[in-house]
Amino acid sequence: MRIVIAGGHGQIALRLERLLAARGDEVAGIIRRAEQGDDLRAAGAEPVVCDLESASEDEVSAHLRGADAAIFAAGAGPGSGVTRKETVDRGAAVLFADAAARAGVRRHVVVSSMGADPEHPGDDVFDAYQRAKGEADAYVRAHQGLDWTILRPGMLTNDAGTGLIRLEAATGRGPIPRDDVAAVLAELVDTPATSGLTLELVSGSTPVSVAVKSVAGN
Protein backbone atom coordinates (compact mmCIF):
# COMPACT_ATOMS: atom_id res chain seq x y z
CA MET A 1 0.00 0.00 0.00
CA ARG A 2 0.95 3.62 -0.45
CA ILE A 3 -0.11 5.57 2.64
CA VAL A 4 0.07 9.34 3.12
CA ILE A 5 0.21 10.66 6.69
CA ALA A 6 -0.65 14.24 7.61
CA GLY A 7 1.45 15.45 10.52
CA GLY A 8 4.28 13.20 9.44
CA HIS A 9 6.77 14.49 12.03
CA GLY A 10 4.50 13.94 15.03
CA GLN A 11 5.42 11.49 17.77
CA ILE A 12 2.76 8.97 16.77
CA ALA A 13 3.36 9.47 13.04
CA LEU A 14 7.09 8.75 13.24
CA ARG A 15 6.38 5.52 15.10
CA LEU A 16 3.72 4.61 12.55
CA GLU A 17 6.01 5.34 9.62
CA ARG A 18 8.59 2.91 11.00
CA LEU A 19 5.96 0.19 11.38
CA LEU A 20 4.49 0.68 7.93
CA ALA A 21 7.86 0.87 6.20
CA ALA A 22 9.05 -2.25 8.03
CA ARG A 23 6.13 -4.26 6.71
CA GLY A 24 6.78 -3.09 3.16
CA ASP A 25 4.31 -0.25 2.68
CA GLU A 26 5.27 2.89 0.77
CA VAL A 27 4.85 5.78 3.19
CA ALA A 28 4.82 9.54 2.67
CA GLY A 29 4.59 12.01 5.54
CA ILE A 30 3.36 15.58 5.11
CA ILE A 31 5.52 18.00 7.10
CA ARG A 32 5.64 21.77 7.52
CA ARG A 33 9.41 22.27 7.49
CA ALA A 34 12.00 20.75 5.17
CA GLU A 35 14.47 20.28 8.03
CA GLN A 36 12.14 17.65 9.48
CA GLY A 37 12.73 15.48 6.42
CA ASP A 38 15.76 13.61 7.74
CA ASP A 39 13.74 12.22 10.65
CA LEU A 40 11.14 10.88 8.22
CA ARG A 41 13.74 9.35 5.94
CA ALA A 42 15.29 7.65 8.96
CA ALA A 43 11.85 6.18 9.72
CA GLY A 44 11.56 4.89 6.16
CA ALA A 45 9.13 7.53 4.92
CA GLU A 46 9.22 10.01 2.06
CA PRO A 47 8.97 13.60 3.34
CA VAL A 48 6.46 15.85 1.59
CA VAL A 49 6.71 19.54 2.52
CA CYS A 50 3.25 21.12 2.60
CA ASP A 51 1.76 23.48 5.19
CA LEU A 52 -1.81 22.31 5.75
CA GLU A 53 -2.69 25.66 7.32
CA SER A 54 -2.04 27.55 4.08
CA ALA A 55 -2.15 24.98 1.26
CA SER A 56 -5.02 24.76 -1.21
CA GLU A 57 -7.15 21.67 -1.67
CA ASP A 58 -5.56 21.27 -5.12
CA GLU A 59 -2.06 21.18 -3.61
CA VAL A 60 -2.93 18.62 -0.95
CA SER A 61 -4.89 16.52 -3.40
CA ALA A 62 -1.86 16.34 -5.69
CA HIS A 63 0.20 14.89 -2.83
CA LEU A 64 -2.48 12.28 -2.16
CA ARG A 65 -3.03 11.16 -5.73
CA GLY A 66 -2.14 7.51 -6.22
CA ALA A 67 -2.30 6.65 -2.52
CA ASP A 68 -4.30 3.71 -1.18
CA ALA A 69 -5.00 5.30 2.20
CA ALA A 70 -4.64 8.56 4.12
CA ILE A 71 -4.09 9.05 7.83
CA PHE A 72 -4.67 12.38 9.58
CA ALA A 73 -2.28 12.55 12.53
CA ALA A 74 -1.58 16.29 12.54
CA GLY A 75 -2.18 18.55 15.52
CA ALA A 76 -1.40 22.04 16.66
CA GLY A 77 0.34 20.52 19.66
CA PRO A 78 0.86 21.62 23.25
CA GLY A 79 1.61 25.27 23.72
CA SER A 80 -0.51 26.37 20.77
CA GLY A 81 -3.41 28.73 21.31
CA VAL A 82 -7.08 28.66 20.41
CA THR A 83 -6.48 30.01 16.91
CA ARG A 84 -4.29 27.10 15.87
CA LYS A 85 -6.72 24.58 17.32
CA GLU A 86 -9.12 25.97 14.75
CA THR A 87 -6.67 26.15 11.83
CA VAL A 88 -4.96 22.79 12.41
CA ASP A 89 -7.10 20.48 14.52
CA ARG A 90 -10.25 21.44 12.65
CA GLY A 91 -9.25 23.27 9.47
CA ALA A 92 -6.40 21.02 8.36
CA ALA A 93 -8.45 17.89 9.11
CA VAL A 94 -11.30 19.17 6.93
CA LEU A 95 -8.91 20.15 4.13
CA PHE A 96 -7.16 16.77 4.25
CA ALA A 97 -10.49 14.91 4.10
CA ASP A 98 -11.70 16.94 1.11
CA ALA A 99 -8.35 16.56 -0.66
CA ALA A 100 -8.33 12.79 -0.09
CA ALA A 101 -11.81 12.44 -1.53
CA ARG A 102 -10.86 14.61 -4.48
CA ALA A 103 -7.80 12.42 -5.12
CA GLY A 104 -9.94 9.29 -4.99
CA VAL A 105 -8.36 8.01 -1.77
CA ARG A 106 -11.33 6.54 0.05
CA ARG A 107 -9.61 4.84 3.00
CA HIS A 108 -9.25 7.51 5.64
CA VAL A 109 -8.14 7.14 9.26
CA VAL A 110 -8.22 10.02 11.73
CA VAL A 111 -6.35 10.33 15.03
CA SER A 112 -8.81 12.20 17.22
CA SER A 113 -9.12 12.76 20.95
CA MET A 114 -11.14 11.01 23.64
CA GLY A 115 -13.92 13.40 24.58
CA ALA A 116 -13.88 15.29 21.26
CA ASP A 117 -17.27 16.97 20.88
CA PRO A 118 -18.45 19.98 18.82
CA GLU A 119 -20.54 21.00 21.84
CA HIS A 120 -17.75 20.61 24.41
CA PRO A 121 -18.22 23.39 27.00
CA GLY A 122 -15.59 25.69 28.47
CA ASP A 123 -13.26 28.52 27.56
CA ASP A 124 -9.84 26.96 28.13
CA VAL A 125 -7.51 26.09 25.26
CA PHE A 126 -8.13 22.38 25.89
CA ASP A 127 -11.88 23.01 25.60
CA ALA A 128 -11.31 24.70 22.24
CA TYR A 129 -9.20 21.71 21.20
CA GLN A 130 -11.96 19.26 22.07
CA ARG A 131 -14.49 21.31 20.11
CA ALA A 132 -12.16 21.58 17.11
CA LYS A 133 -11.51 17.83 17.08
CA GLY A 134 -15.22 17.15 17.51
CA GLU A 135 -16.11 19.41 14.59
CA ALA A 136 -13.48 17.75 12.41
CA ASP A 137 -14.73 14.29 13.33
CA ALA A 138 -18.31 15.26 12.52
CA TYR A 139 -17.21 16.60 9.14
CA VAL A 140 -15.36 13.40 8.27
CA ARG A 141 -18.24 11.19 9.42
CA ALA A 142 -20.62 13.07 7.12
CA HIS A 143 -18.27 12.81 4.12
CA GLN A 144 -19.74 10.66 1.37
CA GLY A 145 -16.41 10.27 -0.41
CA LEU A 146 -14.52 8.52 2.39
CA ASP A 147 -14.38 5.12 4.06
CA TRP A 148 -13.39 6.55 7.42
CA THR A 149 -12.34 5.23 10.80
CA ILE A 150 -11.86 7.63 13.73
CA LEU A 151 -9.53 6.61 16.56
CA ARG A 152 -9.78 8.38 19.93
CA PRO A 153 -6.86 7.43 22.18
CA GLY A 154 -6.81 8.05 25.90
CA MET A 155 -3.98 9.83 27.71
CA LEU A 156 -0.85 9.44 25.57
CA THR A 157 2.36 8.27 27.24
CA ASN A 158 5.90 7.55 26.09
CA ASP A 159 6.01 4.24 27.95
CA ALA A 160 7.10 1.26 25.90
CA GLY A 161 4.20 -0.32 24.08
CA THR A 162 2.84 -3.59 25.38
CA GLY A 163 0.76 -4.55 22.36
CA LEU A 164 -2.16 -5.12 24.74
CA ILE A 165 -5.09 -2.76 24.38
CA ARG A 166 -8.78 -2.12 24.83
CA LEU A 167 -10.45 -0.90 21.63
CA GLU A 168 -14.18 -0.26 21.73
CA ALA A 169 -16.83 2.33 20.91
CA ALA A 170 -16.53 3.46 24.54
CA THR A 171 -13.70 2.37 26.82
CA GLY A 172 -13.69 5.01 29.52
CA ARG A 173 -10.61 7.07 30.19
CA GLY A 174 -7.14 5.62 30.65
CA PRO A 175 -3.54 5.83 29.43
CA ILE A 176 -2.15 4.40 26.20
CA PRO A 177 1.49 4.39 25.00
CA ARG A 178 2.11 6.12 21.69
CA ASP A 179 3.79 2.89 20.53
CA ASP A 180 0.47 1.09 20.87
CA VAL A 181 -1.49 3.88 19.17
CA ALA A 182 0.83 3.54 16.16
CA ALA A 183 0.39 -0.24 16.15
CA VAL A 184 -3.39 0.14 16.18
CA LEU A 185 -3.31 2.67 13.34
CA ALA A 186 -1.20 0.30 11.25
CA GLU A 187 -3.82 -2.41 11.73
CA LEU A 188 -6.81 -0.11 11.18
CA VAL A 189 -5.58 1.33 7.90
CA ASP A 190 -5.25 -2.22 6.62
CA THR A 191 -8.70 -3.25 7.89
CA PRO A 192 -11.38 -1.55 5.77
CA ALA A 193 -14.07 -3.47 7.67
CA THR A 194 -13.58 -0.89 10.45
CA SER A 195 -14.91 1.84 8.15
CA GLY A 196 -17.70 3.84 9.73
CA LEU A 197 -16.50 3.24 13.29
CA THR A 198 -15.45 5.75 15.93
CA LEU A 199 -13.29 3.88 18.43
CA GLU A 200 -11.78 4.69 21.81
CA LEU A 201 -8.40 3.23 22.73
CA VAL A 202 -6.71 2.62 26.09
CA SER A 203 -4.30 0.03 27.42
CA GLY A 204 -5.90 -3.32 28.15
CA SER A 205 -5.42 -7.05 27.86
CA THR A 206 -6.20 -7.84 24.21
CA PRO A 207 -3.49 -8.09 21.52
CA VAL A 208 -3.75 -5.32 18.92
CA SER A 209 -4.56 -7.55 15.94
CA VAL A 210 -7.21 -9.47 17.91
CA ALA A 211 -8.83 -6.23 19.13
CA VAL A 212 -8.99 -4.75 15.62
CA LYS A 213 -10.44 -7.96 14.16
CA SER A 214 -13.03 -7.99 16.94
CA VAL A 215 -14.33 -4.47 16.27
CA ALA A 216 -14.21 -5.13 12.52
CA GLY A 217 -16.58 -8.04 13.07
CA ASN A 218 -19.17 -5.89 14.84
Side-chain angles (χ1 to χ4, degrees):
M1 294 177 72
R2 176 171 172 81
I3 301 166
V4 178
I5 302 172
H9 195 255
Q11 294 187 67
I12 290 171
L14 286 168
R15 289 166 165 84
L16 176 59
E17 286 154 6
R18 291 186 197 99
L19 291 176
L20 295 174
R23 76 181 189 189
D25 289 324
E26 182 184 341
V27 191
I30 295 177
I31 53 177
R32 291 179 64 208
R33 298 191 299 276
E35 58 267 28
Q36 297 171 329
D38 285 346
D39 290 337
L40 271 75
R41 282 184 281 266
E46 167 199 348
V48 175
V49 179
C50 177
D51 187 346
L52 295 176
E53 287 181 271
S54 59
S56 68
E57 186 181 314
D58 276 349
E59 289 176 75
V60 181
S61 181
H63 293 310
L64 282 157
R65 203 157 290 124
D68 299 293
I71 298 174
F72 185 81
S80 58
V82 170
T83 299
R84 294 201 70 231
K85 304 306 182 193
E86 181 67 19
T87 58
V88 180
D89 294 296
R90 189 200 66 80
V94 167
L95 172 66
F96 194 64
D98 286 343
R102 184 169 182 166
V105 184
R106 291 199 62 92
R107 187 71 183 114
H108 198 84
V109 179
V110 175
V111 182
S112 184
S113 170
M114 193 174 288
D117 181 351
E119 305 301 324
H120 185 89
D123 300 318
D124 291 342
V125 173
F126 183 73
D127 299 323
Y129 169 74
Q130 292 289 56
R131 283 192 294 273
K133 294 297 281 186
E135 288 167 6
D137 290 355
Y139 187 87
V140 169
R141 283 197 294 252
H143 213 300
Q144 298 299 307
L146 301 174
D147 297 326
W148 54 266
T149 304
I150 293 171
L151 182 67
R152 293 178 166 177
M155 184 183 70
L156 299 170
T157 75
N158 287 324
D159 297 338
T162 65
L164 298 173
I165 62 165
R166 183 178 176 196
L167 180 70
E168 298 171 16
T171 61
R173 295 193 176 275
I176 182 75
R178 289 179 172 86
D179 288 350
D180 288 335
V181 177
V184 170
L185 290 168
E187 287 281 339
L188 287 175
V189 77
D190 207 23
T191 311
T194 60
S195 296
L197 299 179
T198 300
L199 300 167
E200 294 186 351
L201 171 66
V202 294
S203 292
S205 57
T206 305
V208 168
S209 61
V210 174
V212 171
K213 286 185 177 68
S214 177
V215 295
N218 291 330

